[in-house]
Amino acid sequence: MGHASSLFNGAGDQTLISRVSPTTQQREFLQASWNDLAEHLKVSLKAKHGYTISTWLQGSYKYGTLIKPVHSGEEYDVDLGVYFEWGKGTDIEPTADQLRRWVQQALIDYRGQCVEIRAVAEPPKERCSRASYQHQFHIDTPVYHLNTDTDKRRLACLTNGWEASDPKAFYKWFRDALTGGEREQVRRLIRYLKAWAAVSFDDIPDSRPSSIFLTVLATKAYSDIWFARLLGLPDDDALISIIRAIHGRLNRDRRVQNPATKEEENLNRMSDEAWVAFIPRLDTLLDVAERAADAADEGAAALIWSEAFSFLMPLPNVDEVELVDERTSRALMQLPDIDIAVYTGSGEQRRLVTNHRNQVAGVAKGSTLVFTITNPHIVPQFATIEWTVRNKGLDADSTSDLGHRRIGMQLLQVEEHAQYFGTHHMDCIIRVNGQVYAARRVPVTICDVQPKVPAPARPAYTRLSMKRRR
């Protein structure tokens, strides 16, 4: 049974769902941008080519499963389908290639009118064109023929002609699969899985599961655990259950049929090589889920989940974590102390400004911070040291920089830069054979200028002691 439900979807200001979900302001900005583009395409394409044009928002935004970009430089992905409507009475039907060229040119024309568009991808992608905006998002525009006699849709591909595809049918399947609170919970579960995929496949991007692949797997797995849901499941328990179900299903059969079509459409488009690399990551996720289910308390569960979610997973509001032997009630290792040296400038102009220990109550934006374990003799010989930056706040959100993690044996020192206003955390976690032995949370407050007066005394720390299960 999970213990970290409040960190997944609780009332605190830092939960996994709040860290990965767009803010209201971000959603409103995306909505205004795609509405403006949709209106332009409907008017301009009809005026130039004579066909009735409609648009349909599709993908994660439509399903309510959109997540933030989690790495600096990544973008929000919004899918806006463009539909050319005609029926049997049309004398000359345009080809798929013609429709794609028409939409591509309409986007190029729109770029000249919309200062927020920084580029239109050239050449376009096989299944869509792309307009990239200044504010870290892009809009993909797949192009369809909508048969007004049969209400059937087909996708216009750049080189492969027409492809059977009906995003509206898929949306209806997803909408009708569950109702009420259960639909909202499965939306959160899908976002958790997408967050895992976003941080777990940086080195093998071809093996990263697609959004629609995860959406189908999670929705079907959630529907299958109906008995466990009768009394209500917190998010972490529900996630553990669907990870088990997904792991079992994919090890039996890697095919994932599109549930909204009668035609054979496998949503698993990974190559054999990509699939071979994907399975060990899925095995690791299952191992994390099983260990989190067996964890003794919230702190232990959160630290285990952080193996899968990295810097996205919030930790309990404590300063120190130690592992205690249940037989002797003694900590297995002394807690690390962290010295933080603050520098300004760079190169030969770099100058030491001040030193802190275990917290930085105020540092100027742009400063360089060097974090060092001051008692390295306490670190077990074969331990790994994990330094995780967890950013939060509007500044970090605006650049899609929620954090990062570095791991290494005897990694006693790391260097970071103060980039975003607000209070963030550097978490130093020491593990032996994957087991957390101790952790130190270092809060770092970044402000306009270096404080000229001593910072007020910090409240007494809180320590979380975890029992070692044998």
Side-chain angles (χ1 to χ4, degrees):
M1 182 176 186
H3 294 280
S5 60
S6 66
L7 296 175
F8 275 80
N9 184 40
D13 66 328
Q14 287 292 291
T15 61
L16 181 56
I17 195 62
S18 68
R19 282 181 63 76
V20 303
S21 299
T23 65
T24 300
Q25 293 81 2
Q26 288 167 332
R27 288 181 61 85
E28 289 175 349
F29 180 77
L30 293 175
Q31 182 175 354
S33 298
W34 67 255
N35 272 335
D36 291 344
L37 176 59
E39 190 61 29
H40 168 80
L41 293 176
K42 285 188 288 188
V43 173
S44 64
L45 288 171
K46 180 174 176 56
K48 195 166 186 177
H49 304 290
Y51 295 92
T52 298
I53 306 295
S54 59
T55 59
W56 172 266
L57 188 67
Q58 56 196 62
S60 299
Y61 191 108
K62 184 76 172 180
Y63 311 144
T65 61
L66 184 68
I67 67 168
K68 295 175 182 175
V70 301
H71 298 292
S72 182
E74 292 182 344
E75 299 179 335
Y76 282 101
D77 178 12
V78 177
D79 298 305
L80 178 68
V82 180
Y83 294 80
F84 287 76
E85 301 180 9
W86 72 79
K88 292 181 180 179
T90 304
D91 294 332
I92 301 177
E93 294 188 0
T95 64
D97 176 64
Q98 281 180 302
L99 298 191
R100 292 297 308 278
R101 285 189 283 109
W102 292 349
V103 171
Q104 178 75 1
Q105 187 58 51
L107 289 175
I108 293 172
D109 294 342
Y110 185 59
R111 181 190 175 190
Q113 306 172 26
C114 180
V115 296
E116 292 178 338
I117 294 183
R118 58 179 174 81
V120 173
E122 187 68 52
K125 301 172 71 175
E126 172 65 17
R127 290 181 172 82
C128 66
S129 292
R130 172 172 293 180
S132 296
Y133 285 68
Q134 301 286 356
H135 300 285
Q136 291 189 294
F137 76 97
H138 60 258
I139 298 179
D140 285 338
T141 55
V143 183
Y144 299 85
H145 164 223
L146 171 58
N147 189 317
T148 52
D149 296 321
T150 62
D151 198 39
K152 297 293 185 182
R153 295 155 182 81
R154 51 181 179 164
L155 176 68
C157 298
L158 200 60
T159 60
N160 293 331
W162 299 108
E163 181 180 287
S165 179
D166 191 348
K168 188 173 183 179
F170 185 87
Y171 170 73
K172 288 181 177 178
W173 168 81
F174 179 72
R175 181 195 64 191
D176 298 339
L178 299 159
T179 60
E182 291 188 331
R183 182 191 296 145
E184 290 307 308
Q185 185 173 48
V186 84
R187 283 173 169 157
R188 294 194 300 272
L189 297 175
I190 292 168
R191 279 179 277 183
Y192 301 146
L193 291 174
K194 290 171 67 173
W196 162 72
V199 298
S200 299
F201 293 88
D202 286 346
D203 56 332
I204 47 171
D206 289 344
S207 297
R208 180 179 297 172
S210 68
S211 175
I212 192 170
F213 177 81
L214 292 175
T215 297
V216 171
L217 287 172
T219 304
K220 285 186 168 292
Y222 187 80
S223 298
D224 290 342
I225 61 169
W226 61 270
F227 185 76
R229 301 191 333 252
L230 288 178
L231 298 177
L233 277 177
D235 278 12
D236 56 341
D237 281 332
L239 182 60
I240 291 166
S241 294
I242 69 166
I243 289 172
R244 289 168 176 160
I246 289 171
H247 183 272
R249 171 178 175 170
L250 292 180
N251 275 277
R252 291 190 301 271
D253 184 3
R254 61 186 279 188
R255 288 183 56 82
V256 178
Q257 170 68 26
N258 186 338
T261 62
K262 295 179 181 179
E263 298 84 2
E264 287 291 324
E265 182 185 0
N266 182 14
L267 298 176
N268 181 4
R269 298 190 175 97
M270 294 185 210
S271 66
D272 290 342
E273 294 79 8
W275 184 252
V276 168
F278 166 78
I279 285 297
R281 303 292 167 97
L282 182 63
D283 292 341
T284 300
L285 179 63
L286 177 64
D287 176 66
V288 166
E290 298 289 10
R291 287 188 288 118
D294 292 336
D297 51 42
E298 182 185 71
L303 288 165
I304 293 169
W305 280 118
S306 71
E307 296 175 38
F309 294 113
S310 187
F311 53 86
L312 297 176
M313 186 69 201
L315 298 184
N317 190 26
V318 298
D319 302 313
E320 302 169 0
V321 177
E322 61 182 7
L323 186 66
V324 175
D325 191 308
E326 63 181 0
R327 296 176 305 175
T328 64
S329 296
R330 297 182 62 181
L332 294 188
M333 68 168 283
Q334 184 182 340
L335 286 162
D337 282 317
I338 313 295
D339 272 0
I340 308 98
V342 179
Y343 296 87
T344 59
S346 59
E348 295 182 357
Q349 304 300 317
R350 181 158 151 161
R351 180 174 65 89
L352 178 65
V353 176
T354 186
N355 285 288
H356 302 267
R357 175 162 290 190
N358 297 334
Q359 64 163 324
V360 181
V363 65
K365 184 177 180 179
S367 301
T368 298
L369 288 77
V370 178
F371 298 80
T372 306
I373 295 178
T374 62
N375 45 350
H377 61 278
I378 70 168
V379 180
Q381 183 178 2
F382 297 106
T384 58
I385 303 175
E386 175 182 315
W387 299 88
T388 302
V389 173
R390 285 176 169 84
N391 294 325
K392 64 178 182 178
L394 295 177
D395 270 6
D397 275 350
S398 67
T399 58
S400 302
D401 187 1
L402 299 181
H404 53 269
R405 177 170 61 182
R406 304 180 195 179
I407 303 174
M409 294 184 68
Q410 297 302 311
L411 186 61
L412 300 171
Q413 184 180 90
V414 294
E415 183 174 303
E416 296 290 340
H417 298 279
Q419 293 182 278
Y420 311 115
F421 293 127
T423 298
H424 317 280
H425 279 89
M426 167 65 89
D427 297 319
C428 179
I429 302 172
I430 297 173
R431 301 180 192 262
V432 178
N433 295 325
Q435 171 70 65
V436 174
Y437 268 41
R440 170 80 69 177
R441 304 208 72 197
V442 179
V444 178
T445 299
I446 301 173
C447 48
D448 287 312
V449 294
Q450 188 75 30
K452 296 181 179 180
V453 297
R458 189 180 182 195
Y461 66 76
T462 55
R463 176 182 295 181
L464 176 64
S465 295
M466 304 185 303
K467 290 290 182 68
R468 183 181 189 181
R469 288 192 167 182
R470 296 182 178 274

